[in-house]
Amino acid sequence: MTVTAGLPPLTLYRRDGCCLCDGLEQRLRELEPRPELVLVDVASDPALEARYGLEIPVLAVVLAHQLQELPRVSPRLSGAALDRWLRKCLAALSGAPESA
């Protein structure tokens, strides 16, 4: 798997059978090059279920050794627009300027 240049591994909190979760995972996997995805099923852990419940899907990233949740992604974003959104969110979280 090729990791998208400049993007750290992304964690996707999801639940099996969730159409929004499946859709976001698919759109992330369609990015070229594809970002590294860590899939976490919230139903596998009562603490995660309590934390995320109906808020899934939730994207997160580890920055400066801390898990940071990204804002909710629109289900309409895909391809280049999703890539731009990811980079903008990551830049805002890290305090770095956006890369082109």
Side-chain angles (χ1 to χ4, degrees):
M1 174 190 313
T2 305
V3 177
T4 300
L7 289 181
L10 301 171
T11 300
L12 176 59
Y13 290 95
R14 53 167 290 123
R15 182 180 296 111
D16 287 340
C18 169
C19 62
L20 291 174
C21 301
D22 293 342
L24 180 54
E25 179 183 349
Q26 179 181 349
R27 288 178 287 135
L28 290 166
R29 292 193 185 280
E30 290 171 351
L31 293 176
E32 287 294 331
R34 192 173 9 169
E36 181 181 341
L37 279 180
V38 176
L39 303 178
V40 178
D41 182 3
V42 298
S44 68
D45 181 331
L48 291 175
E49 183 71 46
R51 178 176 178 145
Y52 295 111
L54 298 176
E55 296 298 314
I56 56 167
V58 174
L59 266 178
V61 63
V62 175
L63 293 173
H65 306 289
Q66 290 188 350
L67 187 68
Q68 305 263 343
E69 293 176 9
L70 277 64
R72 190 174 249 339
V73 60
S74 168
R76 295 183 178 149
L77 287 181
S78 63
L82 178 58
D83 184 70
R84 283 190 303 274
W85 179 86
L86 280 170
R87 291 177 189 283
K88 181 178 179 180
C89 289
L90 292 169
L93 287 174
S94 68
E98 294 176 44
S99 60

